[in-house]
Amino acid sequence: MFYEKLDQFPESFLWGAASAAYQVEGAFDADGKGPSIWDEFSKIPGKTFKGTNGDVAIDHYHRYKEDVALMAKMGLKAYRFSVAWSRVIPDGEGEINQAGLQFYVDLVDELIANGVEPVLTLYHWDLPLALQTKYGGWESREIIPAFKKYCQALYEAIGDKVKHWITFNEQNVFTAMGYRWETHPPKVSDLKRMYQANHVINLANAEAINLFHDMLPNGKIGPSFGYGPTYGLNARPENILAAANSHEFNNSWWMDVYCKGTYPKFMYKQLERLGIAPEVTPADHVLLTSAKPDFLGINYYHGGTVRENRIENTSETDVEIKEFSATDPYLMQPKDEQAQSPEIPMFETVSNPHLKTTEWGWEIDPVGFRVALREVYATYDLPIFVTENGLGAIDILEEDGSVQDDVRINYLNEHILEMRKAITDGVEMIGYCAWSFTDLLSWLNGYKKRYGFVYVNRDDESEKDLARIPKKSFFWYQDLIAQNGANIN
Ligand code: BG6
């Protein structure tokens, strides 16, 4: 679709940036906080890049006022952050830790006082360790009342001060990494258990949404999903069918449950055939269909390209097959002992010959962003809040104290332009949060892979002085916000 002139961004558009508790806060045992599964996992030798962890991270817990002052200086309209469950309820289900809860109340107040709208994520992967030990984490339905209690504590303490709430961050990613690829806690490699845990999370998501609507009828709530469009390698009909399979496997498996309350049929039958489908009781069905999100959070990094499954495909042999990557949470490719995987008969992931990649091998696909926004809006008819999008890169602090991150500026510019086109196409959008505001800990790539508008002076070996230094992209985004994106053409 070509336009002579693009629509303006809505006046109320929330230009934001995002983070997650474990990646920024530090203060891992301060003021009564209990341990999370990440506090334990990151200490296991060999599990994270150079043994990095979030014990100190960028010390946002102690420096949040400085960080919020920088957001205000930038003119940021929204800041998406997550709450560490074990800071609020140290063992996940017992007494509330008032000091931990107060940190988030203070953060929200500070943001509002500085004209920045807080966007709160309830769960960004740091499950209280006690719940993992006691119940086996998300594999047990016994965790659901604990999650509800935690949500209730936040709904009560923060209430209408936060308008947009996120339930789960990238359920597709943390279940795959944690229960299939063993690269996140609880380091399980078992598909049946993965689909079971995923189902329990769906139920917890539905409970959290229903409770929210009861308690805070003026607010908005939805999940944040790691969405990527799936392309067929070319117009071979077999490859188009493979793309449809991949879409159901990678996207609809979650999005349909969030929005329709049911699992997509082809994928469910495929899992049943393999004996790994989750058990859905009639009561589950009632719950899942009762909980409707008010908007959809979309995290976009890249999609994937597929061709006909490797069992039937005999004609196309000259393309590059995607290798399994332990640090790329999206569209991983099973091989060897993982070959008994449900996607083997469905599709095969290949490199896209038209796309360049980042230093970490992630495809750069701004048009895919527009495709994603349109697909989601056309299918589910809910407003979209982009809750993550950004470029991980190695940034250099120059001798003159500047960081010339033009590569990031180009990346964001191209993606925001495609988002503007999607709005012109007719997609209803609430806002856009770049990942991330400051540099922060990458779960598996330490402090080397940076995403922020603000450089944080630390590395994998040393905390240095943790000074905050705005990068060139900081001033670029500041200018963009001041013009409400009118300069992005
Ligand atoms: C998303 C997560 O998957 O991608 C973030 O929600 C994460 O928490 C981001 O940091 C970037 O991933 P990575 O592996 O490059 O740090």
Side-chain angles (χ1 to χ4, degrees):
M1 205 111 64
F2 169 77
Y3 304 103
E4 292 287 347
K5 197 165 173 286
L6 297 175
D7 287 3
Q8 297 293 334
F9 287 96
E11 274 307 311
S12 59
F13 195 77
L14 293 175
W15 294 104
S19 73
Y22 186 71
Q23 298 179 271
V24 294
E25 284 178 4
F28 76 108
D29 61 355
D31 301 333
K33 177 180 171 294
S36 80
I37 52 174
W38 270 92
D39 289 318
E40 181 190 58
F41 179 79
S42 61
K43 310 284 166 51
I44 302 171
K47 286 294 170 194
T48 62
F49 181 69
K50 293 190 178 174
T52 43
N53 62 49
D55 282 5
V56 175
I58 62 152
D59 200 27
H60 176 69
Y61 186 79
H62 295 112
R63 298 171 191 236
Y64 75 91
K65 289 193 177 170
E66 183 186 349
D67 292 338
V68 173
L70 276 170
M71 293 174 203
K73 183 175 175 200
M74 189 193 228
L76 205 67
K77 304 271 189 214
Y79 174 57
R80 173 185 176 227
F81 63 94
S82 81
V83 173
W85 183 347
S86 67
R87 206 181 277 293
V88 175
I89 306 181
D91 69 357
E93 60 179 351
E95 290 284 298
I96 290 172
N97 173 31
Q98 289 303 334
L101 184 57
Q102 194 59 42
F103 169 70
Y104 297 106
V105 174
D106 292 345
L107 174 61
V108 165
D109 288 344
E110 188 73 12
L111 287 163
I112 293 170
N114 280 276
V116 184
E117 184 171 323
V119 177
L120 188 155
T121 306
L122 289 160
Y123 187 83
H124 200 128
W125 307 355
D126 47 353
L127 183 73
L129 181 60
L131 295 177
Q132 186 64 44
T133 313
K134 189 168 174 192
Y135 299 126
W138 294 111
E139 291 185 70
S140 164
R141 288 170 185 249
E142 290 188 77
I143 200 173
I144 297 173
F147 186 63
K148 271 182 84 173
K149 178 177 177 178
Y150 158 67
C151 292
Q152 184 169 353
L154 289 170
Y155 297 163
E156 272 167 10
I158 290 175
D160 288 329
K161 286 182 187 173
V162 170
K163 189 168 173 212
H164 294 96
W165 296 67
I166 311 288
T167 51
F168 285 90
N169 180 70
E170 293 189 355
Q171 188 179 333
N172 51 331
V173 173
F174 80 84
T175 50
M177 305 285 264
Y179 295 89
R180 183 176 192 188
W181 307 118
E182 298 180 84
T183 49
H184 281 193
K187 318 189 248 62
V188 171
S189 174
D190 186 319
L191 278 163
K192 190 174 170 73
R193 287 171 64 186
M194 181 187 86
Y195 284 115
Q196 187 51 36
N198 183 66
H199 184 61
V200 172
I201 298 163
N202 282 331
L203 300 175
N205 178 66
E207 291 279 14
I209 288 177
N210 283 345
L211 182 66
F212 182 87
H213 286 144
D214 286 347
M215 292 180 64
L216 298 171
N218 298 323
K220 308 268 184 216
I221 192 163
S224 272
F225 183 76
Y227 192 98
T230 57
Y231 308 128
L233 177 63
N234 52 36
R236 255 186 95 219
E238 290 85 348
N239 293 342
I240 302 302
L241 184 63
N245 289 340
S246 171
H247 178 61
E248 209 164 279
F249 181 88
N250 283 297
N251 294 319
S252 329
W253 184 251
W254 289 271
M255 300 292 281
D256 277 13
V257 179
Y258 293 147
C259 301
K260 303 189 212 163
T262 53
Y263 287 105
K265 293 194 173 53
F266 309 135
M267 176 68 185
Y268 194 85
K269 191 164 178 195
Q270 167 74 346
L271 297 188
E272 269 187 322
R273 219 179 269 127
L274 295 166
I276 56 176
E279 192 205 338
V280 183
T281 68
D284 293 349
H285 182 72
V286 171
L287 172 63
L288 293 175
T289 46
S290 71
K292 300 271 184 253
D294 302 303
F295 65 92
L296 290 167
I298 292 298
N299 295 356
Y300 177 77
Y301 291 92
H302 61 80
T305 302
V306 301
R307 66 177 180 181
E308 185 183 16
N309 69 77
R310 64 179 86 162
I311 303 162
E312 291 171 287
N313 176 29
T314 49
S315 54
E316 277 171 331
T317 49
D318 57 342
V319 289
E320 192 192 332
I321 303 298
K322 266 253 159 39
E323 276 299 311
F324 173 77
S325 151
T327 58
D328 184 346
Y330 299 98
L331 300 171
M332 288 173 172
Q333 178 81 345
K335 65 171 191 179
D336 302 335
E337 75 279 8
Q338 294 146 353
Q340 295 309 317
S341 301
E343 65 265 52
I344 296 291
M346 298 172 80
F347 59 88
E348 182 164 42
T349 304
V350 296
S351 289
N352 188 316
H354 304 286
L355 299 175
K356 295 201 175 79
T357 58
T358 71
E359 289 171 281
W360 270 264
W362 292 22
E363 283 170 351
I364 301 174
D365 181 12
V367 176
F369 189 28
R370 182 179 181 186
V371 175
L373 296 171
R374 286 180 44 148
E375 278 180 1
V376 171
Y377 189 61
T379 312
Y380 301 109
D381 203 13
L382 285 170
I384 298 175
F385 198 157
V386 174
T387 40
E388 284 183 33
N389 170 237
L391 175 71
I394 296 170
D395 290 324
I396 310 290
L397 181 60
E398 306 287 351
E399 287 198 351
D400 65 1
S402 69
V403 179
Q404 304 292 323
D405 56 341
D406 296 272
V407 186
R408 177 167 299 103
I409 293 172
N410 289 342
Y411 179 100
L412 294 174
N413 197 102
E414 288 179 342
H415 283 77
I416 291 171
L417 175 58
E418 292 302 322
M419 176 169 68
R420 186 169 178 187
K421 289 181 189 168
I423 289 173
T424 308
D425 291 335
V427 177
E428 184 185 350
M429 298 214 37
I430 297 167
Y432 169 90
C433 286
W435 184 265
S436 50
F437 183 67
T438 55
D439 289 340
L440 41 70
L441 171 69
S442 166
W443 304 91
L444 300 179
N445 304 287
Y447 297 94
K448 186 176 174 196
K449 190 179 187 186
R450 295 173 182 267
Y451 281 90
F453 291 119
V454 178
Y455 185 90
V456 177
N457 191 33
R458 70 154 298 162
D459 60 23
D460 300 311
E461 286 78 24
S462 162
E463 286 144 27
K464 298 189 179 173
D465 61 4
L466 293 167
R468 275 57 170 157
I469 302 160
K471 303 178 192 176
K472 188 173 177 184
S473 59
F474 179 98
F475 301 104
W476 171 82
Y477 202 49
Q478 182 182 49
D479 182 48
L480 180 156
I481 296 170
Q483 300 188 49
N484 197 26
N487 55 327
I488 306 294
N489 282 298

